[in-house]
């Protein structure tokens, strides 16, 4: 998808017809739109989502005022007014002209448009110039860029850090799977059990009363499992939302002068506790693995000495190594001549003599086994010592982690008490809120634990009921056919789940590599971004002890992390589209997915610290093959120079407002251009001005 | 950088855990879903269920 132009008519601040053309060059891929705060930048961002999907971003104020407000105010009651937008873009070899138009009759002085979707029309012109109008334009748009993905391509830079919040994990997983075509497998997983259920119900109808009762039991277990899964999902969402709220309270405490130091102390303690918990888990995992692999060693002390004794005994008796080997005697017997030259004929005394040696001659295999056994036995004491040493090390590690965790918990509790006992009532209120949220989080965690255990039990009972039902069902041809269908469907679901797991992991790893590459382009800090297997966006650093630990993320760091995710996603989608993913299997299974997407970002530098702004400005053009950025005059300072070489098209939203004190210009390339103009009340509007 | 999984090998293992008939069904269901994705009005509910039931019956000859 390459954006070509955007046309608006009476769309919120933009009175009459307005038009923007986007930079489409490979080297100069940036369209920069300057605009004063409140002048229409967020409106322009929303023009994309409204035209494509009929929706708005959450931060758009008064979405019910869709038609230019003064045009509405000046119109007579009963008059029919309209608003429209046309987005032209190239996708594949075709050019798409997407138009959304809404008409409304003015019935009240205030504009209260509730149904804001309007009418959508799409015209597609192919490479030979022939144009057609698809019958389902909404479906077509959703196939080119699914609505649920739009927030990754049309976003407000000040809010993009929300992708690092707990509540965003599901969204990240969903977006990744959708963009990369894994939805087909997800849908198969949800549809195939329905077919299996039909087979089971039919089989139940053919069964005895006992079989029918068991079928009902299986159905009841499945209903409960579905309920537990749904409840778990709800509780996990609640938990994520509570964590986000707790972190928001933490940020408020950190922003307050009188609680900043204590909050920082708590943040450090929390980090220390989480690191300690990770160490504790790792130590316990290590112990489990060690014991399952080498746990037999402490019981081998007597075994080692017994083997040694027996081996020494055999050596002393001259049986090891054996003086005469069995193959040697057999060779003499086969050859028919002794080493002394005497013939060894059947029945001869020499042959009889040689045959007696066979009884005492040693077997080379047995000797080799004894030698190996002895070698193993000799190593056992050392291995046992090493096992004890490793176990002791892991126990010490666990003890140390438990101690650090306990200290951190105590520190967190002290901080909480100090915050509550402080004199600042605002801080006290925030701390109360924090404590309440912590309580709710703990309660939620307990519910999650209980539900997980209930689900596990239910699944085990379901498996038993399924076995009993299968056993109880009849043995006639129709029943057997249904049983076979049911068995195949169940196996199919299991295989699909396994396939989904592999594909998700494969895609996640590919995405991770691209997130890291994007992050490295933006930031020179020695940190590692990661999209975890739970699709959580994390940032890691190496501590002074050489251990990997979670890096503390500021808003700027979170913004960069989220931008890296967007960059990674855009990059992977493009590589899939252009057949450049280096995993053949993944490429084949995600065939037809991916695509080339632009990134449209409002307030790209809004929430960044000064030091990060320049880095982000430098990296943004590399984020996607086409970039549209909306900035205010203040946001443009220090950043536009970094973008200069990549800018292919520049525009100013000239805001005409009645409340401004004076006219204001913006200087771009040494030339002043209108930025804000004072106007009379009733004439407020915004114009789009192209800069040379 | 984490060690990459071998997608092809893991997919093969995932696929091979199922019996040949179940594999046939998996392939058929994925094909139905893929085709459904490209329909202007995707099949839903009983309609898609019927297609999958037919696919299961076709790999399980009576």
């Amino acid at each position: 998808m390459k954006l070509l132009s955007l046309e608006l008519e009476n769309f919120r601040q933009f009175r009459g017809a307005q038009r923007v053309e986007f930079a489409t060059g490979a080297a100069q891929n940036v369209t920069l739109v300057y605009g004063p705060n409140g002048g229409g930048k967020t409106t322009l961002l929303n023009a994309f989502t409204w035209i494509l999907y009929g929706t708005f971003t959450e931060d758009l104020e008064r979405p019910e005022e869709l038609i230019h407000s003064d045009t509405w105010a000046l119109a007579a009651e009963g008059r029919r007014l309209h608003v429209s937008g046309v987005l032209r873009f190239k996708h594949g070899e075709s050019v798409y002209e997407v138009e959304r138009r809404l008409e409304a009759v003015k019935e009240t002085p205030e504009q209260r448009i509730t149904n804001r979707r309007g009418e959508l029309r799409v015209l597609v012109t192919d490479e030979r110039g022939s144009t057609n109008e698809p019958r389902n334009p909404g479906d077509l748009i959703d196939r080119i860029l699914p609505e649920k993905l739009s927030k990754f391509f049309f976003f407000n830079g000040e809010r993009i850090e929300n992708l690092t919040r707990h509540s965003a994990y599901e969204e990240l997983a969903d977006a990744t799977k959708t963009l990369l075509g894994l939805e087909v497998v997800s849908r198969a997983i949800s549809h195939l059990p329905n077919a299996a259920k039909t087979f089971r119900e039919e089989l139940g109808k053919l069964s005895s009363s006992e079989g029918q009762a068991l079928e009902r039991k299986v159905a009841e277990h499945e209903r409960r499992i579905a309920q537990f899964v749904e409840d778990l999902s709800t509780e996990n969402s609640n938990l994520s939302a509570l964590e986000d709220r707790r972190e928001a309270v933490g940020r408020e405490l950190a922003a307050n002068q009188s609680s900043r130091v204590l909050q920082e102390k708590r943040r450090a303690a929390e980090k220390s506790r989480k690191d300690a918990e990770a160490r504790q888990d790792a130590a316990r995992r290590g112990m489990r693995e060690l014991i399952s692999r080498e746990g037999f060693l402490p019981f081998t002390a007597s075994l080692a000495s017994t083997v040694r004794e027996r081996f020494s005994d055999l050596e002393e008796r001259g049986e090891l190594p054996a003086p005469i080997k069995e193959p040697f005697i057999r060779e003499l017997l086969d050859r028919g001549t002794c080493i002394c030259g005497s013939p060894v004929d059947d029945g001869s005394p020499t042959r009889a003599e040689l045959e007696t040696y066979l009884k005492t001659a040693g077997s080379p295999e047995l000797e080799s086994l004894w030698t190996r056994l002895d070698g193993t036995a000799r190593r056992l004491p050392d291995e046992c010592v090493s096992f004890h040493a490793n176990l002791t090390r892991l126990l010490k590690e666990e003890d140390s982690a438990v101690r650090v965790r306990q200290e951190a918990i105590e520190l967190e509790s002290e901080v909480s008490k100090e915050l509550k006992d402080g004199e600042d009532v605002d801080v006290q209120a925030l701390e109360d809120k924090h404590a309440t949220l912590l309580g709710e989080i703990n309660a939620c965690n307990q519910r999650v634990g209980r539900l997980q255990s209930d689900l596990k039990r239910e699944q085990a009972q379901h498996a038993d009921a399924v076995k009993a039902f299968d056993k109880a069902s009849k043995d006639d041809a129709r029943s057997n056919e249904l049983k076979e269908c049911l068995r195949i469907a169940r196996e199919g679901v299991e295989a699909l789940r396994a396939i989904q797991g592999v594909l998700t992991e494969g895609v996640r790893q590919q995405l991770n590599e691209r997130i890291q590459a994007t992050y490295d382009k933006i930031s020179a800090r020695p940190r590692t971004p990661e999209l975890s297997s739970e699709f959580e966006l994390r940032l890691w650093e190496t501590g002074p002890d050489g251990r990997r630990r979670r890096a503390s993320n500021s808003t700027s760091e979170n913004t960069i992390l989220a931008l890296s995710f967007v960059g990674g996603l855009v990059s992977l989608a493009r590589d899939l589209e252009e057949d450049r993913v280096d995993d053949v299997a993944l490429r084949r299974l995600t065939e037809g997915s991916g695509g080339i997407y632009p990134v449209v970002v409002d307030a790209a530098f809004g929430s960044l610290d000064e030091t990060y702004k320049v880095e982000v400005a430098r990296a943004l053009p590399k984020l996607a093959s086409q970039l549209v950025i909306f900035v205010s005059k203040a946001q443009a300072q220090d950043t536009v120079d970094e973008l200069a070489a990549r800018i292919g098209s520049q525009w100013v939203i000239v805001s005409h407002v009645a409340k401004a004190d004076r006219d204001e210009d913006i200087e771009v390339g040494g030339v002043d251009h209108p930025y804000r103009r004072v106007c009379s009340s009733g004439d407020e509007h915004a114009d789009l001005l192209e800069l040379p | 950088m984490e060690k990459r999984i071998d997608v092809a090998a893991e997919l093969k293992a995932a696929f091979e855990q199922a019996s040949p008939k179940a594999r046939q069904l998996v392939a058929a269901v994925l094909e139905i879903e893929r085709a459904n994705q490209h329909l202007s009005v995707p099949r839903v509910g009983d309609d898609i269920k019927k297609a999958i039931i037919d696919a299961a019956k076709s790999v399980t000859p009576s």
Side-chain angles (χ1 to χ4, degrees), chain A residues 46-297:
Chain A
N46 275 274
F48 288 93
T49 55
W50 182 66
I51 295 171
L52 292 171
Y53 314 108
T55 56
F56 300 104
T57 59
E58 285 165 11
D59 53 345
L60 186 79
E61 290 173 7
R62 300 187 306 280
E64 67 282 0
E65 293 181 12
L66 197 55
I67 297 175
H68 178 254
S69 54
D70 282 347
T71 303
W72 179 277
L74 294 170
E77 283 197 15
R79 196 177 151 201
R80 182 172 288 275
L81 296 163
H82 76 270
V83 54
S84 67
V86 179
L87 182 66
R88 286 179 69 246
F89 61 85
K90 195 172 177 204
H91 185 66
E93 293 305 315
S94 300
V95 171
Y96 292 71
E97 193 171 297
V98 185
E99 180 184 8
R100 193 173 288 273
R101 183 183 168 90
L102 182 142
E103 290 192 0
V105 176
K106 181 177 172 181
E107 286 168 347
T108 55
E110 299 82 31
Q111 199 180 156
R112 292 192 207 112
I113 300 175
T114 47
N115 184 354
R116 298 183 276 270
R117 296 190 78 86
E119 294 286 323
L120 177 68
R121 256 187 97 185
V122 177
L123 293 177
V124 187
T125 306
D126 66 21
E127 70 272 32
R128 287 178 297 177
S130 97
T131 300
N132 74 78
E133 185 175 350
R135 277 186 304 151
N136 297 294
D139 290 336
L140 179 71
I141 297 298
D142 213 52
R143 249 181 259 157
I144 294 171
L145 180 54
E147 185 184 348
K148 61 180 164 186
L149 293 179
S150 63
K151 66 174 64 175
F152 297 99
F153 303 107
F154 306 107
F155 59 83
N156 181 325
E158 286 177 358
R159 289 185 174 74
I160 192 73
E161 66 144 340
N162 288 344
L163 293 184
T164 61
R165 301 263 159 91
H166 301 270
S167 46
Y169 305 162
E170 210 172 305
E171 214 166 55
L172 297 184
D174 201 27
T176 309
K177 290 175 191 172
T178 305
L179 189 65
L180 307 171
L182 304 189
E183 270 193 327
V184 167
V185 185
S186 300
R187 276 198 293 266
I189 290 172
S190 78
H191 289 149
L192 190 50
N194 289 341
K197 192 177 159 200
T198 304
F199 294 133
R200 198 196 63 228
E201 283 168 354
E202 271 188 58
L203 188 58
K205 281 178 201 156
L206 298 176
S207 301
S208 61
S209 56
E210 185 206 359
Q212 286 174 17
L214 283 165
E215 195 280 321
R216 285 195 295 275
K217 204 171 164 185
V218 172
E220 181 55 21
H221 283 305
E222 283 181 4
R223 191 193 60 75
R224 277 197 225 134
I225 286 171
Q227 187 62 52
F228 284 139
V229 169
E230 196 187 320
D231 290 352
L232 253 178
S233 165
T234 309
E235 287 297 351
N236 279 324
S237 298
N238 290 343
L239 197 56
S240 301
L242 285 167
E243 285 288 0
D244 285 345
R245 282 171 58 198
R246 192 181 73 88
E247 281 175 16
V249 173
R251 280 194 296 276
E252 280 187 64
L253 283 165
N256 187 311
Q257 196 65 40
S258 57
S259 55
R260 178 176 297 154
V261 174
L262 281 170
Q263 177 58 23
E264 285 306 318
K265 209 168 160 185
R266 168 150 66 195
R267 202 178 151 92
E270 266 178 23
K271 199 163 165 295
S272 165
R273 175 171 52 80
K274 283 181 183 162
D275 285 347
E277 283 166 356
R279 275 174 54 206
Q280 195 180 354
D281 288 346
R284 285 183 176 167
R285 209 169 36 245
M287 277 190 272
R288 272 200 303 273
E289 282 166 12
L290 181 71
I291 290 169
S292 74
R293 201 176 55 240
E294 298 173 13
F296 66 93
L297 285 168

Side-chain angles (χ1 to χ4, degrees), chain A residues 9-37:
Chain A
E9 192 174 355
N10 291 334
F11 187 72
R12 291 175 60 89
Q13 290 101 316
F14 297 94
R15 189 176 63 189
Q18 305 284 339
R19 180 183 170 90
V20 186
E21 280 174 22
F22 302 107
T24 54
Q28 292 177 313
N29 62 337
V30 176
T31 302
L32 197 59
V33 183
Y34 301 94
N37 289 336

Side-chain angles (χ1 to χ4, degrees), chain A residues 486-497:
Chain A
L486 188 54
R487 185 188 66 77
I488 290 169
R490 282 182 195 144
E491 266 190 51
V493 174
E494 289 309 310
L496 280 166
R497 287 206 177 109

Side-chain angles (χ1 to χ4, degrees), chain A residues 429-487:
Chain A
L430 281 170
E431 187 49 30
D432 280 344
K433 210 166 155 185
H434 190 269
T436 308
L437 285 166
L438 254 186
E440 287 177 29
I441 287 168
N442 288 339
C444 201
N445 264 323
Q446 280 176 2
R447 286 196 297 275
V448 167
R450 218 169 18 242
L451 279 168
Q452 281 170 337
S453 142
D454 287 346
L455 177 62
K456 213 169 164 185
R457 191 197 59 236
E458 200 66 40
Q459 282 168 332
Q461 289 176 352
H462 172 255
D464 290 345
V466 165
K467 271 187 211 156
F469 170 63
D470 286 354
K471 220 169 166 182
S473 53
K474 284 187 177 165
D475 193 19
D476 55 54
R478 176 72 187 136
S479 298
N480 286 338
E481 187 192 338
L482 285 166
K483 267 193 259 185
E484 184 66 357
C485 284
L486 188 54
R487 185 188 66 77

Side-chain angles (χ1 to χ4, degrees), chain A residues 82 84 124 131 164 193 265 284 339 361 365 389-390 402 426 457 490 497 536 554 590 596 615 622 680:
Chain A
H82 76 270
S84 67
V124 187
T131 300
T164 61
K265 209 168 160 185
R284 285 183 176 167
I339 46 168
E365 288 85 7
N390 283 332
V402 167
D426 289 344
R457 191 197 59 236
R490 282 182 195 144
R497 287 206 177 109
E536 179 191 0
S554 61
T590 52
I596 292 166
E615 292 173 359
K622 297 173 201 158
S680 57

